[in-house]
Amino acid sequence: MGILALIISKLRKIPPGKPLFLINGVIFIIISYIISWQIVVQAIICQWFSTKVIDWIFHLQVPPNIISFLQPQYRKK
């Protein structure tokens, strides 16, 4: 589902958390006919929190000096 959400987010130019939440929400609603709806409500709440974290990480701006620090540094001989 994550790959599908990334494709939709690229096409619509929106953060990937929103399509991921909608896709998984539809799956949770379908599953609610099989298992208890209380469990599904808890799963939807957890999914909402996780998509908020995904959107936060997606919009996170990393300074360029940190990126260069994380790249492997090779010693010159």
Side-chain angles (χ1 to χ4, degrees), residues 23-60:
I23 292 168
N24 288 337
V26 169
I27 292 171
F28 289 150
I29 290 171
I30 293 170
I31 289 176
S32 69
Y33 289 112
I34 300 170
I35 61 174
S36 174
W37 64 271
Q38 292 95 352
I39 297 171
V40 173
V41 169
Q42 291 175 359
I44 289 174
I45 292 169
C46 291
Q47 183 67 38
W48 182 78
F49 281 121
S50 67
T51 54
K52 291 297 178 185
V53 171
I54 289 170
D55 286 343
W56 178 75
I57 291 172
F58 182 74
H59 290 297
L60 187 65

Tab-separated table of all heavy atoms in Angstrom, residues 23-60:
chain	number	residue	atom	x	y	z
A	23	ILE	N	-6.331	4.692	1.744
A	23	ILE	CA	-6.255	3.303	1.295
A	23	ILE	C	-6.428	2.348	2.475
A	23	ILE	O	-7.234	1.414	2.427
A	23	ILE	CB	-4.919	3.041	0.563
A	23	ILE	CG1	-4.876	3.811	-0.757
A	23	ILE	CG2	-4.726	1.554	0.311
A	23	ILE	CD1	-3.505	3.845	-1.399
A	24	ASN	N	-5.682	2.581	3.533
A	24	ASN	CA	-5.780	1.707	4.700
A	24	ASN	C	-7.124	1.865	5.406
A	24	ASN	O	-7.642	0.896	5.961
A	24	ASN	CB	-4.631	1.977	5.672
A	24	ASN	CG	-3.317	1.465	5.136
A	24	ASN	OD1	-3.280	0.575	4.295
A	24	ASN	ND2	-2.234	2.026	5.610
A	25	GLY	N	-7.705	3.054	5.388
A	25	GLY	CA	-9.022	3.256	5.981
A	25	GLY	C	-10.098	2.435	5.292
A	25	GLY	O	-10.967	1.856	5.951
A	26	VAL	N	-10.028	2.379	3.958
A	26	VAL	CA	-10.983	1.553	3.219
A	26	VAL	C	-10.803	0.080	3.584
A	26	VAL	O	-11.789	-0.643	3.800
A	26	VAL	CB	-10.815	1.774	1.693
A	26	VAL	CG1	-11.590	0.751	0.900
A	26	VAL	CG2	-11.249	3.179	1.318
A	27	ILE	N	-9.561	-0.350	3.690
A	27	ILE	CA	-9.302	-1.736	4.079
A	27	ILE	C	-9.823	-2.006	5.486
A	27	ILE	O	-10.449	-3.049	5.736
A	27	ILE	CB	-7.792	-2.040	3.973
A	27	ILE	CG1	-7.360	-2.014	2.510
A	27	ILE	CG2	-7.466	-3.394	4.597
A	27	ILE	CD1	-5.874	-2.087	2.302
A	28	PHE	N	-9.617	-1.072	6.411
A	28	PHE	CA	-10.105	-1.254	7.778
A	28	PHE	C	-11.633	-1.326	7.826
A	28	PHE	O	-12.203	-2.101	8.586
A	28	PHE	CB	-9.617	-0.134	8.689
A	28	PHE	CG	-8.145	-0.195	8.987
A	28	PHE	CD1	-7.440	0.965	9.232
A	28	PHE	CD2	-7.472	-1.397	9.038
A	28	PHE	CE1	-6.089	0.926	9.525
A	28	PHE	CE2	-6.124	-1.452	9.317
A	28	PHE	CZ	-5.430	-0.285	9.557
A	29	ILE	N	-12.296	-0.514	7.032
A	29	ILE	CA	-13.760	-0.532	7.022
A	29	ILE	C	-14.275	-1.859	6.473
A	29	ILE	O	-15.239	-2.427	6.999
A	29	ILE	CB	-14.297	0.667	6.218
A	29	ILE	CG1	-14.036	1.952	7.000
A	29	ILE	CG2	-15.788	0.515	5.921
A	29	ILE	CD1	-14.321	3.216	6.236
A	30	ILE	N	-13.631	-2.375	5.446
A	30	ILE	CA	-14.026	-3.685	4.913
A	30	ILE	C	-13.793	-4.774	5.954
A	30	ILE	O	-14.635	-5.660	6.140
A	30	ILE	CB	-13.259	-3.984	3.603
A	30	ILE	CG1	-13.713	-3.011	2.505
A	30	ILE	CG2	-13.471	-5.428	3.166
A	30	ILE	CD1	-12.872	-3.050	1.260
A	31	ILE	N	-12.683	-4.700	6.660
A	31	ILE	CA	-12.364	-5.701	7.674
A	31	ILE	C	-13.304	-5.597	8.877
A	31	ILE	O	-13.524	-6.578	9.586
A	31	ILE	CB	-10.888	-5.571	8.091
A	31	ILE	CG1	-10.004	-6.040	6.952
A	31	ILE	CG2	-10.576	-6.347	9.346
A	31	ILE	CD1	-8.539	-5.881	7.179
A	32	SER	N	-13.898	-4.418	9.098
A	32	SER	CA	-14.781	-4.263	10.259
A	32	SER	C	-16.004	-5.169	10.184
A	32	SER	O	-16.640	-5.442	11.201
A	32	SER	CB	-15.209	-2.811	10.410
A	32	SER	OG	-16.080	-2.433	9.366
A	33	TYR	N	-16.340	-5.659	9.005
A	33	TYR	CA	-17.434	-6.623	8.894
A	33	TYR	C	-17.023	-8.004	9.405
A	33	TYR	O	-17.866	-8.803	9.776
A	33	TYR	CB	-17.899	-6.740	7.439
A	33	TYR	CG	-18.643	-5.513	6.976
A	33	TYR	CD1	-18.093	-4.677	6.016
A	33	TYR	CD2	-19.881	-5.191	7.500
A	33	TYR	CE1	-18.770	-3.546	5.595
A	33	TYR	CE2	-20.566	-4.063	7.090
A	33	TYR	CZ	-20.003	-3.246	6.128
A	33	TYR	OH	-20.674	-2.123	5.722
A	34	ILE	N	-15.722	-8.265	9.424
A	34	ILE	CA	-15.228	-9.573	9.839
A	34	ILE	C	-14.886	-9.600	11.326
A	34	ILE	O	-15.256	-10.537	12.038
A	34	ILE	CB	-13.994	-9.962	8.998
A	34	ILE	CG1	-14.372	-10.029	7.522
A	34	ILE	CG2	-13.411	-11.280	9.467
A	34	ILE	CD1	-13.206	-10.171	6.596
A	35	ILE	N	-14.182	-8.558	11.793
A	35	ILE	CA	-13.779	-8.530	13.201
A	35	ILE	C	-14.519	-7.420	13.937
A	35	ILE	O	-15.295	-6.684	13.345
A	35	ILE	CB	-12.243	-8.346	13.348
A	35	ILE	CG1	-11.792	-7.033	12.725
A	35	ILE	CG2	-11.495	-9.503	12.735
A	35	ILE	CD1	-10.341	-6.727	12.946
A	36	SER	N	-14.243	-7.288	15.184
A	36	SER	CA	-14.926	-6.317	16.037
A	36	SER	C	-14.623	-4.889	15.591
A	36	SER	O	-13.490	-4.544	15.277
A	36	SER	CB	-14.474	-6.518	17.479
A	36	SER	OG	-14.996	-5.512	18.299
A	37	TRP	N	-15.633	-4.037	15.592
A	37	TRP	CA	-15.448	-2.665	15.141
A	37	TRP	C	-14.631	-1.855	16.129
A	37	TRP	O	-14.018	-0.860	15.753
A	37	TRP	CB	-16.792	-1.998	14.866
A	37	TRP	CG	-17.665	-1.839	16.078
A	37	TRP	CD1	-18.569	-2.737	16.552
A	37	TRP	CD2	-17.689	-0.731	16.965
A	37	TRP	NE1	-19.159	-2.255	17.685
A	37	TRP	CE2	-18.647	-1.015	17.967
A	37	TRP	CE3	-17.004	0.482	17.031
A	37	TRP	CZ2	-18.917	-0.144	19.003
A	37	TRP	CZ3	-17.298	1.350	18.066
A	37	TRP	CH2	-18.232	1.036	19.031
A	38	GLN	N	-14.577	-2.270	17.414
A	38	GLN	CA	-13.760	-1.557	18.391
A	38	GLN	C	-12.272	-1.663	18.035
A	38	GLN	O	-11.521	-0.694	18.180
A	38	GLN	CB	-13.994	-2.105	19.815
A	38	GLN	CG	-15.351	-1.820	20.366
A	38	GLN	CD	-16.326	-2.971	20.131
A	38	GLN	OE1	-16.004	-3.916	19.421
A	38	GLN	NE2	-17.504	-2.867	20.707
A	39	ILE	N	-11.881	-2.835	17.575
A	39	ILE	CA	-10.485	-3.028	17.155
A	39	ILE	C	-10.190	-2.180	15.928
A	39	ILE	O	-9.112	-1.582	15.810
A	39	ILE	CB	-10.211	-4.516	16.887
A	39	ILE	CG1	-10.378	-5.319	18.181
A	39	ILE	CG2	-8.826	-4.724	16.298
A	39	ILE	CD1	-10.336	-6.809	17.987
A	40	VAL	N	-11.145	-2.092	15.016
A	40	VAL	CA	-10.952	-1.303	13.797
A	40	VAL	C	-10.835	0.181	14.127
A	40	VAL	O	-10.019	0.891	13.532
A	40	VAL	CB	-12.091	-1.578	12.797
A	40	VAL	CG1	-12.017	-0.655	11.610
A	40	VAL	CG2	-12.055	-3.028	12.348
A	41	VAL	N	-11.605	0.665	15.078
A	41	VAL	CA	-11.511	2.075	15.481
A	41	VAL	C	-10.126	2.362	16.053
A	41	VAL	O	-9.504	3.388	15.734
A	41	VAL	CB	-12.626	2.428	16.498
A	41	VAL	CG1	-12.380	3.790	17.116
A	41	VAL	CG2	-13.980	2.392	15.825
A	42	GLN	N	-9.615	1.449	16.881
A	42	GLN	CA	-8.259	1.627	17.417
A	42	GLN	C	-7.220	1.595	16.301
A	42	GLN	O	-6.255	2.369	16.315
A	42	GLN	CB	-7.956	0.540	18.444
A	42	GLN	CG	-8.751	0.677	19.704
A	42	GLN	CD	-8.530	-0.478	20.663
A	42	GLN	OE1	-7.781	-1.410	20.379
A	42	GLN	NE2	-9.176	-0.418	21.809
A	43	ALA	N	-7.413	0.724	15.323
A	43	ALA	CA	-6.477	0.644	14.196
A	43	ALA	C	-6.503	1.922	13.369
A	43	ALA	O	-5.456	2.406	12.914
A	43	ALA	CB	-6.809	-0.564	13.323
A	44	ILE	N	-7.676	2.500	13.170
A	44	ILE	CA	-7.783	3.746	12.402
A	44	ILE	C	-7.104	4.893	13.147
A	44	ILE	O	-6.418	5.722	12.538
A	44	ILE	CB	-9.256	4.062	12.082
A	44	ILE	CG1	-9.783	3.071	11.046
A	44	ILE	CG2	-9.425	5.488	11.592
A	44	ILE	CD1	-11.255	3.184	10.757
A	45	ILE	N	-7.267	4.935	14.470
A	45	ILE	CA	-6.601	5.976	15.261
A	45	ILE	C	-5.082	5.835	15.166
A	45	ILE	O	-4.367	6.823	14.952
A	45	ILE	CB	-7.078	5.928	16.726
A	45	ILE	CG1	-8.540	6.361	16.807
A	45	ILE	CG2	-6.209	6.806	17.616
A	45	ILE	CD1	-9.190	6.120	18.139
A	46	CYS	N	-4.578	4.603	15.283
A	46	CYS	CA	-3.135	4.368	15.150
A	46	CYS	C	-2.648	4.714	13.751
A	46	CYS	O	-1.558	5.277	13.579
A	46	CYS	CB	-2.806	2.920	15.481
A	46	CYS	SG	-3.011	2.513	17.215
A	47	GLN	N	-3.443	4.398	12.746
A	47	GLN	CA	-3.082	4.729	11.365
A	47	GLN	C	-3.031	6.233	11.179
A	47	GLN	O	-2.172	6.751	10.479
A	47	GLN	CB	-4.094	4.098	10.401
A	47	GLN	CG	-3.774	4.330	8.955
A	47	GLN	CD	-2.517	3.628	8.512
A	47	GLN	OE1	-2.239	2.512	8.921
A	47	GLN	NE2	-1.739	4.265	7.672
A	48	TRP	N	-3.949	6.972	11.802
A	48	TRP	CA	-3.949	8.420	11.689
A	48	TRP	C	-2.660	9.009	12.270
A	48	TRP	O	-2.041	9.884	11.660
A	48	TRP	CB	-5.175	8.990	12.398
A	48	TRP	CG	-5.269	10.477	12.281
A	48	TRP	CD1	-5.693	11.190	11.200
A	48	TRP	CD2	-4.906	11.427	13.279
A	48	TRP	NE1	-5.620	12.539	11.479
A	48	TRP	CE2	-5.144	12.707	12.748
A	48	TRP	CE3	-4.413	11.326	14.572
A	48	TRP	CZ2	-4.901	13.859	13.461
A	48	TRP	CZ3	-4.168	12.490	15.280
A	48	TRP	CH2	-4.412	13.733	14.724
A	49	PHE	N	-2.259	8.509	13.458
A	49	PHE	CA	-1.009	8.984	14.062
A	49	PHE	C	0.192	8.661	13.176
A	49	PHE	O	1.077	9.498	12.976
A	49	PHE	CB	-0.797	8.381	15.451
A	49	PHE	CG	-1.595	9.040	16.520
A	49	PHE	CD1	-2.511	8.314	17.275
A	49	PHE	CD2	-1.454	10.388	16.794
A	49	PHE	CE1	-3.253	8.917	18.260
A	49	PHE	CE2	-2.197	11.012	17.783
A	49	PHE	CZ	-3.097	10.266	18.521
A	50	SER	N	0.226	7.459	12.628
A	50	SER	CA	1.384	7.077	11.809
A	50	SER	C	1.454	7.884	10.517
A	50	SER	O	2.543	8.246	10.065
A	50	SER	CB	1.368	5.582	11.510
A	50	SER	OG	0.279	5.251	10.677
A	51	THR	N	0.308	8.210	9.915
A	51	THR	CA	0.357	9.033	8.706
A	51	THR	C	0.768	10.467	9.018
A	51	THR	O	1.398	11.118	8.183
A	51	THR	CB	-1.000	9.021	7.975
A	51	THR	OG1	-2.033	9.408	8.873
A	51	THR	CG2	-1.297	7.658	7.405
A	52	LYS	N	0.432	10.967	10.206
A	52	LYS	CA	0.914	12.296	10.607
A	52	LYS	C	2.434	12.296	10.748
A	52	LYS	O	3.103	13.253	10.350
A	52	LYS	CB	0.265	12.748	11.920
A	52	LYS	CG	-1.196	13.060	11.795
A	52	LYS	CD	-1.402	14.223	10.858
A	52	LYS	CE	-2.866	14.521	10.681
A	52	LYS	NZ	-3.107	15.569	9.692
A	53	VAL	N	2.988	11.214	11.290
A	53	VAL	CA	4.446	11.109	11.403
A	53	VAL	C	5.080	10.996	10.021
A	53	VAL	O	6.110	11.632	9.748
A	53	VAL	CB	4.835	9.897	12.291
A	53	VAL	CG1	6.320	9.631	12.235
A	53	VAL	CG2	4.383	10.123	13.720
A	54	ILE	N	4.466	10.241	9.128
A	54	ILE	CA	4.988	10.114	7.756
A	54	ILE	C	4.994	11.470	7.063
A	54	ILE	O	5.975	11.837	6.409
A	54	ILE	CB	4.158	9.082	6.961
A	54	ILE	CG1	4.439	7.676	7.476
A	54	ILE	CG2	4.446	9.180	5.474
A	54	ILE	CD1	3.507	6.627	6.930
A	55	ASP	N	3.914	12.225	7.191
A	55	ASP	CA	3.863	13.562	6.582
A	55	ASP	C	4.902	14.492	7.201
A	55	ASP	O	5.516	15.299	6.500
A	55	ASP	CB	2.466	14.168	6.721
A	55	ASP	CG	1.464	13.533	5.784
A	55	ASP	OD1	1.886	12.879	4.818
A	55	ASP	OD2	0.246	13.694	6.035
A	56	TRP	N	5.112	14.392	8.520
A	56	TRP	CA	6.111	15.224	9.180
A	56	TRP	C	7.510	14.899	8.657
A	56	TRP	O	8.300	15.800	8.370
A	56	TRP	CB	6.038	15.013	10.690
A	56	TRP	CG	7.061	15.795	11.443
A	56	TRP	CD1	7.059	17.131	11.693
A	56	TRP	CD2	8.257	15.289	12.030
A	56	TRP	NE1	8.169	17.483	12.408
A	56	TRP	CE2	8.924	16.361	12.628
A	56	TRP	CE3	8.815	14.022	12.115
A	56	TRP	CZ2	10.138	16.209	13.286
A	56	TRP	CZ3	10.013	13.863	12.774
A	56	TRP	CH2	10.653	14.959	13.356
A	57	ILE	N	7.828	13.620	8.521
A	57	ILE	CA	9.137	13.214	8.000
A	57	ILE	C	9.276	13.627	6.537
A	57	ILE	O	10.345	14.047	6.095
A	57	ILE	CB	9.343	11.700	8.178
A	57	ILE	CG1	9.495	11.372	9.659
A	57	ILE	CG2	10.552	11.205	7.399
A	57	ILE	CD1	9.502	9.898	9.975
A	58	PHE	N	8.194	13.534	5.779
A	58	PHE	CA	8.216	13.911	4.364
A	58	PHE	C	8.546	15.389	4.195
A	58	PHE	O	9.262	15.770	3.269
A	58	PHE	CB	6.864	13.588	3.734
A	58	PHE	CG	6.781	13.891	2.272
A	58	PHE	CD1	7.411	13.082	1.345
A	58	PHE	CD2	6.067	14.991	1.819
A	58	PHE	CE1	7.337	13.364	-0.009
A	58	PHE	CE2	5.982	15.278	0.474
A	58	PHE	CZ	6.625	14.458	-0.438
A	59	HIS	N	8.066	16.239	5.092
A	59	HIS	CA	8.313	17.683	4.999
A	59	HIS	C	9.543	18.132	5.775
A	59	HIS	O	9.857	19.325	5.782
A	59	HIS	CB	7.098	18.457	5.513
A	59	HIS	CG	5.918	18.365	4.610
A	59	HIS	ND1	5.915	18.853	3.335
A	59	HIS	CD2	4.687	17.820	4.794
A	59	HIS	CE1	4.751	18.636	2.778
A	59	HIS	NE2	3.986	17.999	3.643
A	60	LEU	N	10.244	17.227	6.403
A	60	LEU	CA	11.418	17.564	7.201
A	60	LEU	C	12.529	18.085	6.299
A	60	LEU	O	12.866	17.477	5.287
A	60	LEU	CB	11.897	16.319	7.966
A	60	LEU	CG	13.010	16.505	8.972
A	60	LEU	CD1	12.542	17.383	10.127
A	60	LEU	CD2	13.449	15.157	9.504
